[in-house]
Amino acid sequence: MTTAVVLTAAGSGARLGHVLPKALVPVRGEPLLVHAARGLMAARTEAGERVAVLVVTAPEGFVADVRAALETDLGAGPGVVPPVVVVGGASRQASVAAGLAALPPEVDVVLVHDAARPFAPPALVASVVEAVRAGHRAVVPGLPVTDTVKRVGPGGVLGWPVEATVPRAELRAVQTPQGFDRALLDRAHRAAAADAHDESVAASDDAGLVERLGEPVWVVPGDERAAKITTARDLAVAELLGDDLSPA
Ligand code: CTP
Ligand code: MG
């Protein structure tokens, strides 16, 4: 019974527009990926299980920087091996596949988590592991959607009329960490490997690959603190709030 995390940190952060790759950008004095790693290592399930293996995907040319960033107290402790850093790929999907290839054989549950979600609370991480351990082989955290969502077809402002309003009660905005039975996630990535070379055709999350196999994916309650940092505004919000739920 060994749980591992693939922490995706190999993106460039084009939409953030910082000089550094997004995962190395500091918030509250430390890189996003360090916050994310600490939150993962702090998680404990009700049965007392913790993350034992951490594999981090780094942007090409930044492996040494990612390694150096991880040389801080992550709260690892006994039984936890030092983090392994691998070079990521051309898409998030390819990076996760590279991370999976680096996992030791004893791992049976894998979480995939985005460094871009630095303040995902340990309790959220634990709830995902618990759901997988309880027999749900693919688990995602999801939050109800607050915006009204419309389908716009080819889209374009004033270029195409709205096609439909999607019933909001059916929708969940999905976060990470996503948790999987290792064999199922390996199979899902193998089946989709041909799409991994290009971000525009690759999957934006891992559960999507499991869905393509026709296997069930289950939702546990998400957490606002696991919000993804995409834009400079998101970074400013994270700087203000850190792992607080609200500014109050
Ligand atoms: N990621 C990765 N390998 C890639 C692309 C993304 O490991 N080839 C990681 C990112 O580092 C991030 C997570 O996947 O932690 C989610 O991706 P996203 O938020 O899109 O980050 P970036 O791709 O870095 O940002 P952008 O799309 O704006 O360039
Ligand atoms: Mg991206």
Side-chain angles (χ1 to χ4, degrees):
M1 218 174 75
T2 302
T3 294
V5 177
V6 175
L7 179 60
T8 65
S12 64
R15 289 169 291 179
L16 184 61
H18 197 280
V19 288
L20 289 169
K22 182 161 71 181
L24 288 166
V25 170
V27 62
R28 299 198 150 206
E30 286 189 299
L32 298 191
L33 75 95
V34 171
H35 290 288
R38 280 220 190 88
L40 292 159
M41 299 317 297
R44 299 288 182 277
T45 66
E46 276 186 22
E49 200 199 343
R50 57 179 306 180
V51 170
V53 176
L54 177 63
V55 174
V56 184
T57 73
E60 209 174 341
F62 289 89
V63 170
D65 303 78
V66 168
R67 273 207 189 103
L70 290 165
E71 273 170 20
T72 180
D73 186 10
L74 301 175
V80 179
V81 291
V84 172
V85 180
V86 299
V87 183
S91 65
R92 182 187 179 283
Q93 183 188 323
S95 293
V96 174
L100 292 178
L103 294 179
E106 67 271 20
V107 169
D108 60 343
V109 169
V110 181
L111 303 184
V112 183
H113 184 54
D114 293 334
R117 300 180 185 274
F119 297 119
L124 177 69
V125 178
S127 75
V128 171
V129 176
E130 281 162 3
V132 179
R133 290 274 171 223
H136 299 92
R137 296 198 305 152
V139 175
V140 300
L143 285 175
V145 172
T146 53
D147 286 319
T148 295
V149 178
K150 296 187 191 292
R151 183 171 296 115
V152 295
V157 178
L158 297 185
W160 196 269
V162 165
E163 290 180 347
T165 300
V166 187
R168 191 165 61 188
E170 294 178 357
L171 300 177
R172 292 294 177 276
V174 162
Q175 306 176 314
T176 72
Q178 300 188 349
F180 305 90
D181 170 81
R182 189 227 184 126
L184 177 61
L185 186 60
D186 279 340
R187 183 155 68 88
H189 271 270
R190 274 199 308 275
D195 296 337
H197 64 282
D198 180 352
E199 191 74 89
S200 69
V201 293
S204 59
D205 80 338
D206 300 279
L209 301 180
V210 172
E211 290 154 32
R212 281 201 230 165
L213 293 179
E215 298 287 342
V217 171
W218 306 89
V219 180
V220 295
D223 191 298
E224 283 187 86
R225 291 166 288 191
K228 185 153 77 90
I229 295 176
T230 304
T231 63
R233 187 177 189 284
D234 298 335
L235 186 67
V237 171
E239 188 69 50
L240 273 173
L241 292 183
D243 59 4
D244 283 352
L245 198 49
S246 82

